Amino acid sequence: MVTRTLFLCALFAVSSAAPLQDAAVEDGDASPAVPDRCAGLEFDAITPNEKGNTLFFKGNYVWTGFTGPAQLSTLYFRELNGPVDAAFRMHNPENAGDHDHIYLFKDDKVYSYFNQNLEEGYPKQIQEDFPAIPTHLDAAVECPKGECMTDSVLFFKGQDVHVYDIATKTMKTKTWSHLPACTSVFRWLEHYYCFHGQNFTRFHPVSGEVVGAYPKDARHYFMNCPNFGHGGDRKPLKCRDVKLDAVTTDDGGRTYFFAGPIYMRVDTHRDGFHAFPITRAWQEVNDGVDAVFSYDSKIYLIKGDQVYIYKADAHFTLIEGYPKTVKEELGIEGPVDAAFVCPNENTAHVIQGNRMRDVVLTATPRVVAREMPLPLSDIDAGLCGEQGIKIFKGSQFYHYDSPMILAMGRIAPVPEDITPAMMGCEE
Ligand SMILES: *[C@@H]1O[C@H](CO)[C@@H](O)[C@H](O)[C@H]1NC(C)=O
């Protein structure tokens, strides 16, 4: 599945920050000093940048994204002189002054960059910014509140982990001797990875616990290397070619787009947009979806005349007895084009052709309470949130303030284009 994940991942990948692409080191005339990340490197540091592209540092070089070429790190970080020890992206939404800044550590100094510009007053002594944090670090990583107790930074040196609270500027030291000595640490899609040699080990950011079969070889997951099984066509998706099957936001605030065999989470866009096989999250749904909606801490995936209902926790668990037929579950015949439930409501708005049927989810058995013609047809997906309803059709969407306005409107509003910011496609 690894292979497929990366391949699909790349399909949707946002082209890595291109402004300096011209200065890229070409494969052909690369001097012997240019490192090859497929040769089994040990990275000095890894961090996302302010756009969600991952930066991998080694010596005087940096790679942007999982597929970019090696570039001199001074192209992005002009004032940098030689290798870095550690890097992280600041997560401090309380303070716009340093939120999303890229912090680089070298010996006893810290550099703070934003949009490739060094902030005034940097480099500084590490302790001026981060009291009690040691010099000559091995690694650093952001740890937002919710994943750590408070908005924090984890600093690594040897087997010691210094947990730094950003707001109080205090730190606690733990020793995780069961972890390998991390030369870089990377937070990606809410998970934490300690890189050591060419390998990485995933750990829990509070307990340090390692669950699962580690170490794993980074070349299978975080880069595109020949003979590691994930070559193939990596054409980025154009926004005008987008065609969704479904979209939903679950009760945990996670928003998912579905298209063909893949899904993508868009609320984690700070880490870039990455697509994965639907079966990675919803194991039993192996033929794509027609419509998806969320209700009462559950997610309903509809395909043909079948409904799969999953309990939405950290993982999705298929509820016993499912799939069932659409008829049995919702009181209407499948297939379904789109479906959505608005926040704090108990009605599924089910779209079939140019009709919308309202199914009351608190009633047993389920019955259609209302049926209305719509001013649109060939609808792909629908999403209802605090900002109203988005009805997706091809590469465009229509905005409505409420289901009532959607059903009562005689003419459709002017459609808007799906943008790169919405789902990481290209203009
Ligand atoms: C990397 O991990 C593999 C297992 O995936 C292991 O066989 C190998 O010894 C590890 N190498 C290092 C340098 O840790």
Side-chain angles (χ1 to χ4, degrees):
M1 217 66 274
V2 169
T3 303
R4 184 142 177 84
T5 305
L6 254 223
F7 165 69
L8 293 164
C9 198
L11 254 182
F12 262 94
V14 194
S15 77
S16 43
L20 296 168
Q21 215 70 354
D22 294 347
V25 178
E26 298 291 341
D27 280 346
D29 56 336
S31 77
V34 178
D36 172 5
R37 63 172 159 178
C38 291
L41 281 190
E42 179 164 274
F43 293 104
D44 297 331
I46 305 174
T47 182
N49 68 9
E50 52 283 277
K51 295 186 182 68
N53 295 310
T54 309
L55 304 176
F56 296 85
F57 291 88
K58 176 68 180 182
N60 293 322
Y61 290 87
V62 64
W63 291 260
T64 306
F66 293 6
T67 61
Q71 297 176 292
L72 282 169
S73 51
T74 46
L75 290 171
Y76 293 94
F77 305 102
R78 277 185 301 277
E79 296 77 7
L80 208 57
N81 173 22
V84 296
D85 297 330
F88 78 94
R89 179 181 62 184
M90 177 64 83
H91 179 79
N92 188 12
E94 309 298 312
N95 181 359
D98 59 14
H99 184 53
D100 274 354
H101 283 210
I102 313 304
Y103 284 78
L104 303 178
F105 297 83
K106 183 174 169 54
D107 304 330
D108 57 349
K109 297 278 193 306
V110 55
Y111 297 69
S112 168
Y113 281 88
F114 191 69
N115 278 332
Q116 300 176 24
N117 290 316
L118 184 66
E119 291 297 302
E120 209 179 306
Y122 288 86
K124 288 181 185 174
Q125 294 294 321
I126 293 174
Q127 281 87 4
E128 284 182 57
D129 257 7
F130 303 99
I133 296 302
T135 63
H136 300 86
L137 290 162
D138 289 334
V141 68
E142 65 174 307
C143 187
K145 186 175 173 174
E147 296 167 27
C148 279
M149 304 306 170
T150 60
D151 283 323
S152 308
V153 184
L154 309 182
F155 291 99
F156 292 74
K157 182 162 178 168
Q159 307 301 138
D160 287 345
V161 183
H162 307 283
V163 183
Y164 181 85
D165 181 314
I166 293 168
T168 62
K169 290 182 167 268
T170 54
M171 74 91 160
K172 282 199 193 97
T173 301
K174 303 175 182 177
T175 303
W176 287 343
S177 26
H178 64 285
L179 264 195
C182 313
T183 60
S184 52
V185 175
F186 179 38
R187 173 187 176 273
W188 191 60
L189 302 178
E190 302 169 351
H191 291 142
Y192 291 78
Y193 301 95
C194 159
F195 283 69
H196 47 97
Q198 71 211 35
N199 287 343
F200 68 90
T201 296
R202 189 176 130 191
F203 64 94
H204 190 278
V206 176
S207 65
E209 194 185 0
V210 175
V211 179
Y214 291 97
K216 292 181 178 166
D217 193 311
R219 291 171 290 184
H220 281 298
Y221 296 84
F222 292 100
M223 54 209 74
N224 185 50
C225 294
N227 305 324
F228 283 83
H230 34 72
D233 176 14
R234 303 195 320 276
K235 270 207 310 268
L237 185 70
K238 294 261 189 253
C239 289
R240 63 169 179 275
D241 296 332
V242 168
K243 184 158 175 63
L244 298 174
D245 291 326
V247 54
T248 194
T249 301
D250 72 9
D251 292 353
R254 300 176 288 194
T255 298
Y256 300 90
F257 284 33
F258 297 82
I262 64 169
Y263 78 91
M264 188 167 60
R265 250 184 87 181
V266 296
D267 54 301
T268 51
H269 62 269
R270 279 183 89 234
D271 299 344
F273 292 93
H274 303 275
F276 296 101
I278 292 172
T279 47
R280 181 180 184 259
W282 299 279
Q283 212 181 327
E284 294 79 7
V285 181
N286 48 30
D287 191 27
V289 296
D290 295 333
V292 178
F293 66 88
S294 301
Y295 174 66
D296 190 25
S297 305
K298 298 185 202 68
I299 182 161
Y300 293 59
L301 293 90
I302 305 177
K303 174 69 182 181
D305 67 350
Q306 301 285 302
V307 186
Y308 297 76
I309 306 184
Y310 286 82
K311 209 168 166 343
D313 284 326
H315 297 285
F316 295 100
T317 323
L318 186 64
I319 291 176
E320 210 180 307
Y322 287 88
K324 290 185 180 171
T325 64
V326 175
K327 178 76 185 168
E328 209 180 336
E329 184 62 35
L330 299 175
I332 54 178
E333 297 289 344
V336 164
D337 293 324
F340 59 88
V341 175
C342 293
N344 309 317
E345 287 190 0
N346 298 312
T347 303
H349 303 280
V350 180
I351 296 172
Q352 296 177 294
N354 64 351
R355 305 198 70 77
M356 182 162 81
R357 299 186 165 91
D358 286 355
V359 177
V360 181
L361 296 169
T362 45
T364 326
R366 306 277 169 69
V367 285
V368 175
R370 272 199 316 178
E371 182 171 333
M372 292 143 291
L374 293 179
L376 289 168
S377 57
D378 301 316
I379 290 165
D380 294 327
L383 180 68
C384 186
E386 303 299 341
Q387 272 90 50
I389 297 167
K390 286 194 179 84
I391 297 293
F392 292 88
K393 180 171 168 171
S395 61
Q396 296 187 310
F397 68 92
Y398 299 81
H399 181 266
Y400 294 90
D401 286 331
S402 71
M404 189 58 86
I405 293 170
L406 166 61
M408 294 305 165
R410 289 286 161 267
I411 42 169
V414 178
E416 298 169 54
D417 290 335
I418 290 176
T419 62
M422 287 169 75
M423 52 180 302
C425 49
E426 293 204 323
E427 294 279 18

